């Protein structure tokens, strides 16, 4: 056991830090702290420019294999995310392309697809969104009903997707669609790459409980994409879609935790400002939050270390459940620290303070990207080997 | 021993329910919350002019219905279920109780009739910057001026419906250090008020700045210091608890309704044990909270220890509503955290209720003190 | 709404109180506080004598219809239970006969059965136990496999019951047994009355986590009972068994709560003795317990009032879940108040203090008499109308 | 960056597991807990004489293996999984750390070799009546006597394995008010000890009465006051946390195993979502607690802030084990609360761990203080 980064890795860290500082003290100085979950509506155009800046400097696709990527180790990816978060660099728009679609193409795509898609993603010029969930298939992805038919050399797509992050800003969408209507559930699905900027595609942002939007409904009404824009064979969509999720190796987790630490620091500052630490119960709840975050880091490091060489270990299946539950509780702590002032928002009509955003948006944390209930089902079945609840 | 509403009381409840339904239910609250007044004026008119509910707890001698907190609880439970944006809690419960508890008969006669008729509303302005609910935190000053006048100076915050109330009942500290309550017309010179925008948009709060506001010395309600104010807050806490029961029931109903129709994996999600057990827990919270609020409404008028009774039910019902509102979001999944769905409105109302009339911690400390446990500091009681 | 007892009821209360005080200051003075859940092993013989004392004074069968009972109103039964608990009168052995079997016989029994069984129960001379659960049928009562065959004018019974309170002390047992082996699940069961003191019946106490025993395993190995010792017709056992459970109207709940209040008072005394109230978190947890108990009383009164005239309302379905959860938390509070001293038991080999007994035995509260999971299933289906989880 | 045990460390773990299995696992603990010594002497012999584990963290110079807390954690996790009744926590972790932290090299040389060889055990006697974990609560007095002797008087309680240990490390207050640590042979005149019977019968506690016990002044370990004792407790807390991880895993394994075979309603109860989700929550607790304990074992030897690290993992792992043990009883239903089933043994061990080396509240307060939050009183540090 040795929980130190190597000297080489520390040099890499210094390089990342220097680059971020130069940029975020320079042209992009107004972007620190903007964007991210619950705040995706902020500074869209400048953050798009930032994506291109990242791309030009070669920071996108760090973990992809060469030639499109730099083949960096998992720990270097971790370091990049840590420094990125520490610098309060803006929330990414490109992460779906970089961490989900990119690795999928790199592993399962055709040579043509690699040449076509990886370079623009790596340049920060092509934004992607993920078309999995549907109004009738939220937790139950195998219930997808969006249909795609091959006709005159192109797929024609009809259906509706929902909870699609950034759909209104994306150039492309990877869509799980039913291409063989005679097959049911997991069979008969395909994984299609569909351009968003065409007639036949409408993306409508969904306003959430914070009053802002980052998820969308996407309507495919005869949208088209070329026949070759499919990953894997027709009917292999489920397998490819699951592979996509597996490519998310969690390197960004430690960056996410630095964001959480920032929220916790803001709460501690509020405790001090209000002298709320006269109450030992508040002190202990803050301590619990701090302990919980430290445990989260230990858990992430252990799981990443085990997963460094291959599959993520089953031990890591609790990560989403853990952080979302912790974060929800953090939001509640923030409100309880503030007392009656917790109610007062930053400004009319519905401008929330950052702590209020944390509080409200964290209610979504336990729902999107696999609700807590689904997470527990997965743990029960995969980690504990319990029988399927029929 | 009878633990149930009378037929008359049930009839009042039905009338309220009908009035709310006619106005559009939660949709009316959604409309009202977007307006400056954050008040559903149409519903308030019906409740007051048509049904006379503003004076429910006001003695008949002062133009009210001469009923009591059992009726208040029946009414406000319905209002809570639909998030009604009306000043019932602030004016018909809190301010009414404050005037009844603190005022002299002459003051009752002067202040209550217009409220009973629904022509004027009132509210209690007691919290200040920092939101500390203890009377020791009151810094608004009442200075004696010549000509039998008093000059009030200070800033009140978190005043429920304070931006629309016609009459402000203001707590202030007199030169001898005692707490006094003054009836201040909102239109008095030197009163400035502004709505504080809130997370829970269905219930408005205001900041009220009093800059050398001159009021006659006779506008001091009675002479009793904090105890009558404490009793009025206790009664309002019982009303708020019942309102929260209504909200919690609505959340349970939303959750159960959705669980029966929403299908995933080829069956209603209400057939999954995880959903069933969440809803079952909500059911127990709703039924126990309801029992507690009803019991408190009766006890509050018939037993000693009003403030302990109120603190106990306030802490319990606030927690129950919050948990039900949070869990109904979870049961609904994605749709539950959208702006278009009502779940977040209940959730925000539930969150606000955790600190609206004292925090849940305050309430638990009150109970602990009554059990002889401490030192938790003692409430000032002069 | 009027939450006062009538003057007549208060006079009845005074009568109960006077009788209890006279007896418990007199011949039975050593029995105060003995017995009850988790402590059923205490003072067995004297408590049997106490049963007969209660019977002789006419306190058993208070709520039964005349002539065996006194037809007292639900509120008078409540008053009796309150005073009984207030006086710290000993835990009952006769409650299964009085509150479960007695009402069942009174409602569904033959005239002969009424004449045979109700008088000795009312005299406190006949103890009963309940033979429902089996090793393979705990939560799932319809899975009962104990078999009874009618041969030469008697039922012959083979099988095993478990979690049978007081079986080793009981004279009779009402047994749910399968009399028609061709029927499955709820069908083919019968409700038999079986004498315990015979060859062919073995009751073996099960030591529980407190180191004492009150539940038993009961082995029926060719045990016999007369053909007429059946309530309802053969095959109607499920219906009768469910009716038995429904007769438990909850009048004893308020007495149970007085017992809980005594435990809470002991905890508050411990808080004071140890100055544990220097810690506001402990104070607030005590406050929560107190609030929870008050809520329990409000809930019980409301449900009893609604149920006074007939069926218990659905609103009351949460009672068991509520009190068992509250009680479990109370036990945990007691331990946290005591700090390291919580570990030290009253004496070797395993003599627990009352607070330790509360703590440990309350783990059983959420399991026996319908586990919390089963309670929630019942609420979901019956109160909320949710579809059966298939 | 490597977050895993080396092959050598895994081999130690396997040896421990084998020794436990050979002795009968939890059955051996059941036998041992009925005896006066509450010690599984056979297992202790194997762990010490055969495997040399008593000296795991003792430097080679003093006859130990010269390894550290990462190895300690690997071993004690296995011991915790089987509730092993051996003085590993008290002697090989707590007392060893106390001697190493507080003692001089000469004292190390005098005291550690017999412990490393498994010929003697030691324990730390620090708590007194009331169980207050703060050093301010130490009232046992160390008076100076003639002839370069010290006289110790006082009563220690909750001394882990105190009825069997050969050497008692006793905290006492010197005439100048400082805290000092003395090495007192259990056989010294004036030492009376008696086992305190405990709810958790698998780990014994003793009361130790010191009646004018004369020891040479040189038996004072070093001269450092509380800080080295605090560090030793911190290291022991990390060991206890790892032991709790082993216990929590055992509870999860029991629950999963039972859920797969126990049938109700015609199917394994493990197919019910309520059971699945309970077990899934336990799984997350086990894996996070394990990560925390391992991390703390490493951090405790390589990073500053040992006491904060220890407090954090102690609070977390104690809570995780308790919850897993409680929930495994629930998952088992009726059989889970019988004496014959092992679930209650884990549950009681888990409960005891909530206060064994400081309470969970103490640990959380330590963390809060480190965040600059207070006033919670400050730990005496002289």
């Amino acid at each position: 056991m040795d929980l130190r980064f190597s000297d080489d890795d520390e040099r890499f860290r210094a390089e990342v830090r220097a680059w971020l500082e130069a940029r975020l003290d320079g042209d992009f100085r107004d972007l620190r702290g903007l964007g991210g979950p619950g705040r995706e509506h902020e500074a869209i155009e400048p953050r798009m420019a930032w994506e291109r800046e990242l791309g030009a400097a070669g920071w996108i696709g760090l973990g992809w294999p060469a030639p499109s990527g730099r083949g960096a180790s998992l720990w270097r990816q971790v370091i990049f995310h840590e420094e990125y978060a520490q610098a309060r660099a803006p929330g990414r728009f490109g992460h779906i392309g970089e961490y989900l679609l990119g690795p999928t193409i790199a592993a399962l795509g055709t040579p043509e697809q690699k040449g076509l898609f990886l370079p623009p993603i790596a340049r920060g010029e092509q934004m992607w969104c993920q078309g999995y969930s549907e109004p009738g298939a939220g937790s139950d992805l195998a219930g997808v009903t969006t249909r795609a038919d091959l006709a005159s050399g192109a797929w024609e797509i009809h259906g509706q997707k929902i909870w699609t992050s950034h759909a209104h800003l994306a150039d492309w969408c990877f869509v799980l669609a039913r291409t063989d209507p005679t097959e049911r559930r997991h069979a008969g699905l395909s994984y299609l790459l569909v351009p968003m900027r065409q007639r036949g595609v409408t993306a409508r942002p969904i306003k959430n409980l914070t009053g802002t939007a980052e998820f969308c409904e996407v309507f495919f009404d005869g949208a088209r994409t070329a026949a070759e824009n499919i990953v894997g064979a027709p009917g292999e969509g489920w397998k490819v879609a699951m592979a996509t999720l597996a490519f998310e190796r969690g390197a960004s987790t430690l960056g996410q935790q630095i964001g959480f630490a920032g929220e916790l620091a803001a709460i501690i500052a509020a405790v001090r400002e209000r002298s709320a630490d006269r109450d030992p119960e508040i002190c202990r709840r803050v301590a619990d939050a701090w302990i919980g975050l430290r445990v989260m880091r230990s858990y992430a490091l252990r799981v990443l270390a085990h997963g460094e060489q291959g599959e993520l270990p089953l031990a890591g299946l609790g990560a989403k459940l853990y952080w979302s539950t912790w974060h929800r509780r953090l939001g509640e702590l923030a409100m309880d620290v503030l007392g009656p002032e917790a109610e007062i928002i930053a400004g009319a009509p519905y401008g929330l303070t950052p702590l209020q955003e944390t509080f409200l948006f964290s209610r979504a944390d336990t729902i999107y990207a696999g609700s807590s209930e689904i997470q527990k089902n997965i743990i029960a079945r995969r980690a504990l080997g319990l029988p399927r609840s029929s | 021993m009878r633990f149930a509403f009378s037929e008359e009381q049930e009839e009042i409840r039905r009338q309220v329910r009908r009035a709310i339904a006619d106005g559009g239910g939660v949709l009316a609250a959604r409309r009202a919350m977007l307006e400056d007044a954050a008040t559903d004026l149409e519903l308030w008119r019906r409740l007051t002019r048509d049904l006379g509910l503003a004076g429910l707890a006001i003695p008949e001698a002062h133009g009210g219905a001469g009923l009591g907190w059992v009726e208040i609880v029946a009414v406000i439970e319905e209002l809570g279920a639909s998030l009604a944006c009306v000043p019932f809690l602030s004016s018909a419960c809190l301010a009414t109780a404050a005037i009844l508890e603190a005022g002299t008969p002459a003051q009752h006669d002067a202040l209550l009739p217009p409220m009973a008729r629904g022509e004027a509303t009132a509210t209690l302005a007691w919290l200040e910057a920092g939101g500390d609910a203890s009377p020791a935190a009151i810094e608004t000053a009442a200075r004696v001026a010549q000509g039998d006048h008093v000059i009030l100076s200070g800033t009140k915050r978190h005043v429920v419906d304070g931006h629309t109330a016609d009459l402000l009942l203001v707590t202030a500290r007199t030169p001898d250090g005692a707490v006094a309550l003054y009836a201040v017309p909102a239109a008095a010179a030197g009163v400035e008020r502004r709505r504080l925008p809130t997370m829970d948009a269905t219930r408005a709060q205001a900041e009220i700045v009093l800059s050398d506001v001159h009021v006659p010395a006779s506008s001091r309600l009675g002479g009793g210091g904090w105890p009558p104010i404490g009793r009025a807050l206790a009664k309002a806490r019982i009303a708020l608890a019942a309102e929260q029961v209504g909200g919690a029931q609505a959340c349970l109903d939303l959750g159960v309704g959705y669980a029966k129709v929403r299908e995933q994996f080829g069956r209603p999600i209400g057939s999954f044990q995880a959903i069933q057990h969440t809803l079952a827990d909500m059911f127990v919270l709703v039924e126990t909270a309801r029992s507690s609020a009803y019991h408190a409404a009766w006890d509050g008028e018939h037993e000693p220890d009003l403030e302990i009774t109120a603190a106990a039910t306030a802490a319990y019902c606030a927690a129950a509503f919050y948990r039900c509102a949070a869990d109904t979001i979870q049961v609904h999944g994605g749709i539950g955290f959208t702006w278009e769905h009502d779940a977040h409105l209940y959730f925000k109302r539930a969150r606000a209720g955790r600190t609206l009339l004292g925090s849940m911690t305050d309430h638990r400390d009150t109970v602990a003190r009554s059990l002889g446990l401490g030192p938790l500091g003692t409430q000032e009681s002069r």
Side-chain angles (χ1 to χ4, degrees), chain A residues 139-154:
Chain A
S139 297
D140 177 20
L141 272 189
V144 156
T145 61
T146 291
R147 221 180 65 231
D149 302 295
L150 197 55
S152 30

Side-chain angles (χ1 to χ4, degrees), chain A residues 279-281 284 390:
Chain A
D279 182 347
E281 199 177 353
R284 290 172 195 154
S390 64

Side-chain angles (χ1 to χ4, degrees), chain B residues 211-303:
Chain B
S211 312
D212 289 340
V213 176
H214 287 247
V215 291
S218 63
S219 57
R220 175 169 177 177
L221 290 173
W226 179 257
I229 305 169
R231 285 195 299 275
L233 279 167
K235 299 202 90 170
R237 284 175 187 136
I238 294 170
L240 176 59
E243 185 189 277
Q244 290 167 330
V245 169
Q249 178 73 59
C251 290
L252 174 59
D253 292 345
L254 282 175
V256 170
Y258 188 72
K260 285 179 180 169
V261 300
R262 167 71 172 175
E263 297 203 353
Q264 290 282 277
F265 303 99
R267 53 196 250 211
I269 62 169
S271 70
F272 288 98
Q273 218 178 17
I275 300 290
Q276 292 186 342
H277 286 197
T278 300
L279 292 168
D281 282 333
M282 287 164 68
F283 169 83
V284 178
L285 286 170
V286 168
E287 292 301 345
T288 49
R290 174 173 288 130
S291 306
S292 175
Y294 289 180
H295 198 164
W298 196 87
D299 267 7
E301 299 202 322
H302 296 86
E303 301 286 337

